[in-house]
Amino acid sequence: MDSNGDGIGDLEGIRAKLSHLAWLGVDAIWLSPIFPSPMADFGYDVADYCDIDPVFGTLAAFDRLLAEAHALGIRVILDWVPNHTSDRHAWFVESRASRTSAKRDWYVWRDPLPDGGPPNGWVAMFGGPAWQLDPRTGQYYLRSFLIEQPDLNWRNPEVVAAMHGVLRFWLDRGVDGFRIDVIHRIAKDPLLRDNPPSERPGPGFGGQLHVHDENHADVHAFLRGIRAVLDEYPERMTVGEIDPRIPDDVAKYYGRGDELHLAFNFNFLRARWDAELFGREIARFDAVVPLEGWPDYVLSNHDVPRHASRYDDPTHGEARARAAALLLLTLRGTPFLYYGEEIGMRNGAIPPERFQDPLARTLHPKLSRDPERTPMHWSAGAGAGFTTGEPWLPIAADAPLRNVDAQRADRASLLWLYKDLLALRRATPALEAGAYRALDAKQGVLAFERHQPASRVLVALNFTGDVCSPGLPSARAQAADHTRAGAPLPANAAELELGPSEAAVLIVDASARAHG
Ligand code: GLC
Ligand code: CA
């Protein structure tokens, strides 16, 4: 939400919508980076970790937002970017000034090879070699992402201390935690060995097996240090972004309850709309998260196409978005919602001259993340209620029909389904914290149980295009949410019927626990 008509969302805009978020029932908001930045990568290139970019507001505006969010029971999570800074950060400006600069070793500098080439064959995730020659001192610096995003050297204790200081700066101000950007990249092979080729060798990022430029075992010691800082404060949390290439590796980042509180589970982001596939991904993550940890689930974020578009299908698109919501909000794990998914926002169409994401330029126009970043639809009318000015990205064409105002007024809307499910989740111990158990189901149906000693829930999703009875165990149903508004509550779970792409969650008699 843009409060001042410059077309860009800002802190005052978010503050104006806090009461809506409280109405919806969210527990916390995560803001992508709001720190001063040249915006080469939309804030993921931080020029000062301890201030607010004027485009988003001021520290005073942030303090107001935080205080009002807390008064409404909403926590605030910031996005901390430890792997790299902006090339305009004062640390890098000093580091690059000379080979003898006091901050030279805060970044990763190396001499060219005898032939003048880069120190090794690592490639940047956002295209090109991972090394950038800096003519002033004749050395290369490491950049895992854009040229404008030099990697910090976490092996230098001064960097660790400075970055811990950043965490304390915000924790002292009262923030509730951090989403941690690409945490698996802060530790690399100290010998800078080359990566072996992947099964599909080639010049791009996918052409290598990333065994040396990320995910180095030392990352866990760095994380324990980060966790120790968080643990100086009561009730704070971290959620780390780890590249999902090896999904089971993600679980290592929980440590023994002494590293991340949550490691992002991106398994759904790559799963087709398929009951067996979803069932496998759930079982897999549920099994690898250590006892001291806690799972989480994600359907959409700012880096991938929106799930309403991914699961779109000429006949069942809308129903699938509803079923996906029911799944996300009934699983054992913290659900992450991406703004707009609660009204079923789809990817916007971006004409090439309006591209903002650098990936359109450095990789391929098709890899632009702009389509999933279009402004939120608050209301019908010009600017979708997001801005009175020219929005930074075009507003998606369906905004006049698909918006918060329209859906708040419609009890059968997707927005109300999210609200109802969030409320049900909060009111039902088995949904909040109960164990997960897959149930046998017909092909094309995903069914599971969540249970606690005194609370039991059955969930079924019909991934097919036909009417079906999922065959849930016999149990007296006491309450339910169905993706078809107004669907009757079956007296017995075994009698549940689901239409195409429909899903239901049934609160059932806790005494009659199914076995098998
Ligand atoms: C993470 C962010 C992404 C950003 C990248 C580099 O993957 O989610 O948006 O471009 O890190 O910081
Ligand atoms: Ca603004």
Side-chain angles (χ1 to χ4, degrees), residues 30 32-33 40-45 79-84 125-126 144-146 149 179-184 241-243 264 266 301-304 357-359 369 373:
W30 144 35
S32 47
D41 187 20
F42 293 92
Y44 287 98
D45 48 325
D79 205 321
W80 183 53
V81 187
N83 180 68
H84 44 267
M125 238 173 149
F126 289 176
S144 293
F145 293 89
L146 295 174
Q149 293 169 303
R179 180 262 187 193
I180 308 183
D181 193 59
V182 292
I183 188 65
H184 64 299
E241 183 200 27
I242 295 129
D243 193 280
F264 268 132
F266 290 153
N301 68 29
H302 62 293
D303 292 328
V304 297
D357 184 16
L359 299 196
R369 297 166 294 181
R373 296 177 176 184

Side-chain angles (χ1 to χ4, degrees), residues 83 105 130 135 180 243 250 262 336 341 391 435 493:
N83 180 68
D105 185 50
I180 308 183
D243 193 280
V250 165
L262 295 174
F336 282 83
E341 77 171 62

Side-chain angles (χ1 to χ4, degrees), residues 470-507:
L472 287 177
S474 175
R476 198 159 53 82
Q478 293 155 347
D481 260 329
H482 196 293
T483 56
R484 175 163 33 97
L489 167 72
N492 190 318
E495 289 153 20
L496 177 72
E497 275 222 341
L498 293 172
S501 306
E502 283 181 359
V505 43
L506 305 179
I507 315 288

Side-chain angles (χ1 to χ4, degrees), residues 1-11 55-56 387:
M1 173 69 182
D2 170 26
S3 71
N4 63 353
D6 68 357
I8 301 171
D10 50 53
L11 297 179
V55 85
F56 301 128
T387 185

